[in-house]
Amino acid sequence: AGFFLDVKDISGERSFWSFYNRVVQLQNVRQVLHKDCLANKDPTECFFPTELIKSIRTPMFILNSAYDSWQIQNVLLPTSSSPEKSWLSCKDNIGNCNSTQIKVLDEIRNTMINDLKVINDKADWGMFIDSCFTHCQTLFRISWSSPTSPRLGNKNIAKVVGDWYFGRSQGVKEIDCEYPCNPTCNSLPPP
């Protein structure tokens, strides 16, 4: 997880932008960012994964939830955005979200899927983007390779990553449907 998006929170602010901007300034990251991006965009924007992946040539595998719980809790609904009580319940458990809130979360998902289209032309890259309300799916066996792990098609994360890494499949790019379509997400512990 960590494919953080440059999106506005529910108050309309780009609160996560300021966090990324502080990192760019503190680490003087501008010096290593891609020159083509810097020619047209602010260094902070060039530091977001959406822009970074455009200039990476080394094959990568992107594993993330399209409904990344950390991103929803800290980028879309940070404390500074003063979320309403109904959003606080949704923030902690996607099952508590109403249909209007799910539409907002679907917009975040669609932004991520759209931002990832750039890797469709990178044949040696892979991805597994599920619709689970979770974060960091590689740390625990239950999400990585257990009989109850989230699946896309009939493959869990370990199988898809293994197929990509060992070259058993070409173009390993799995993207899940919108929440709540994937019943295998239900086996994960709360975020």
Side-chain angles (χ1 to χ4, degrees), residues 56-63 119 122-128 138 144 155-174:
I56 296 173
R57 290 187 180 89
T58 303
M60 289 183 58
F61 191 94
I62 298 173
L63 167 61
I119 74 166
K122 298 180 180 205
D124 50 357
W125 283 45
M127 69 178 154
F128 186 101
T138 60
W144 180 256
K155 297 178 182 178
N156 65 21
I157 297 168
K159 172 76 170 130
V160 174
V161 171
D163 286 349
W164 171 78
Y165 184 80
F166 292 109
R168 293 187 293 244
S169 294
Q170 280 290 70
V172 180
K173 295 178 175 88
E174 301 286 342

Side-chain angles (χ1 to χ4, degrees), residues 83-104:
E84 300 170 4
K85 190 173 184 177
S86 65
W87 271 113
L88 291 175
S89 180
C90 174
K91 175 180 182 174
D92 292 334
N93 181 343
I94 197 169
N96 294 335
C97 300
N98 63 39
S99 60
T100 303
Q101 293 165 329
I102 292 294
K103 285 181 183 175
V104 172

